[in-house]
Amino acid sequence: MLLGNNVAQASPAPGISNVGHTINGLSKWELPAILKEVSGIKYLGNNRFACIQDRLGSIFIYNTTDNKIEKEIPFAKAGNYEGIAIAGTSAYVVQSDGTLYEVQDYEGATPVVKQYDIPLTAKNNVEGLTYDKKNDRLLLVTKGNLPRNRQCKGVYAFDLKSRKLVAKPVVKINLADPIFCSLKGKDNAFLPSAIEIHPITNDIYILQGSDPKLLVMDEKGQMKKMYTYSRSNLPHAEGLAFSPEGELFISNAGTTGAATIQKVGL
């Protein structure tokens, strides 16, 4: 049963489709109260997720089999944490103002925390973070539009060798593309809340939390699909994760009840 509604749009470009996703009948887990404001998740394997929540500077390891938090890993004071990425034994967490934390050996006995002040600000409003294994870099997506270009939002790269942010976006989300033509509003018609890379196709997936949607682009930023959802299924979609096999998980902050992680069919 498809629970998302098809987006009506005028003459989409070849290869672009807007369709619903299957949610009904797939797994769903309610998160503990401390994760009510869950803002980012990453799948660790063996039914375990690394989770962050909006206000606390801690990583929480949550096990869906036992439905409990196995471990809390503090790394900073209270803030506005929006995305998490895992690269080897390091976890990376980003604040909306662009402050980036690396938690080395994050599951070890004595994690080491490093902070990187990258040239993004609260005006850019960083909302998502993921690890691009193919290019050994982090990708960050912003909710704010690009400077001097209100028709585009940016996906930026943080190089893990130089530990520096590439100055220009490596991918642009062009709001003038036909795939966006049916969305309500103008320049802020698409508001990213998370980013992830498909482990098999290397396509880039970008989630919108309000009026939930999921944009799929190829590695170069070519638009492929826009999936839509019902708010009754994804009331406040904030986090995005894939298993190595390509299973998709979306987390919801608990605005109208308990926060959740849901498995979503592709």
Side-chain angles (χ1 to χ4, degrees):
M1 179 179 179
L2 292 177
L3 299 182
N5 296 320
N6 287 351
V7 174
Q9 68 175 42
S11 302
I16 293 176
S17 64
N18 286 30
V19 297
H21 259 180
T22 302
I23 294 177
N24 195 32
L26 297 181
S27 300
K28 177 179 178 179
W29 301 273
E30 289 192 358
L31 298 175
I34 197 169
L35 289 173
K36 187 175 180 66
E37 294 189 62
V38 62
S39 55
I41 59 172
K42 284 297 174 285
Y43 184 69
L44 301 178
N46 298 319
N47 303 315
R48 301 166 74 241
F49 289 85
C51 308
I52 57 168
Q53 74 111 300
D54 203 349
R55 303 300 176 190
L56 297 181
S58 288
I59 299 168
F60 299 88
I61 308 300
Y62 172 72
N63 190 313
T64 60
T65 300
D66 301 328
N67 192 29
K68 68 178 184 181
I69 293 171
E70 293 182 351
K71 190 174 185 180
E72 178 180 353
I73 307 157
F75 63 88
K77 62 182 181 180
N80 189 5
Y81 302 100
E82 297 293 350
I84 182 170
I86 304 295
T89 60
S90 285
Y92 296 85
V93 180
V94 70
Q95 290 201 87
S96 60
D97 66 0
T99 305
L100 180 66
Y101 297 89
E102 178 183 4
V103 187
Q104 297 176 346
D105 193 22
Y106 70 99
E107 286 207 77
T110 55
V112 175
V113 179
K114 293 188 175 182
Q115 179 178 326
Y116 306 98
D117 295 316
I118 60 180
L120 293 173
T121 68
K123 188 174 182 179
N124 299 111
N125 198 357
V126 181
E127 282 287 326
L129 179 70
T130 194
Y131 175 50
D132 178 2
K133 183 177 181 180
K134 181 178 179 180
N135 297 294
D136 195 26
R137 64 187 182 180
L138 304 177
L139 295 182
L140 305 90
V141 66
T142 63
K143 185 179 284 186
N145 297 334
L146 293 179
R148 299 178 295 280
N149 187 347
R150 296 187 61 80
Q151 283 295 311
C152 288
K153 297 178 188 289
V155 176
Y156 292 85
F158 180 81
D159 184 81
L160 289 178
K161 291 185 176 66
S162 65
R163 294 297 199 269
K164 293 184 181 296
L165 188 79
V166 178
K168 295 182 179 180
V170 292
V171 171
K172 292 181 180 179
I173 305 170
N174 183 1
L175 299 179
D177 189 276
I179 206 168
F180 293 106
C181 70
S182 67
L183 301 184
K184 297 178 181 179
K186 296 181 180 180
D187 296 324
N188 291 327
F190 187 73
L191 300 173
S193 63
I195 184 171
E196 188 57 283
I197 296 175
H198 194 285
I200 299 170
T201 66
N202 279 317
D203 285 339
I204 300 171
Y205 284 63
I206 298 178
L207 180 68
Q208 173 175 278
S210 58
D211 190 17
K213 293 177 173 60
L214 187 62
L215 173 66
V216 185
M217 302 185 293
D218 68 16
E219 297 175 74
K220 297 182 179 179
Q222 180 67 37
M223 306 294 175
K224 296 181 72 173
K225 293 180 180 179
M226 177 81 80
Y227 294 113
T228 67
Y229 303 92
S230 165
R231 282 187 178 178
S232 62
N233 292 303
L234 297 177
H236 196 167
E238 287 285 334
L240 193 60
F242 281 108
S243 73
E245 296 75 28
E247 298 169 301
L248 173 64
F249 301 90
I250 295 177
S251 64
N252 292 274
T255 53
T256 58
T260 61
I261 294 175
Q262 293 183 238
K263 186 177 178 181
V264 178
L266 287 172

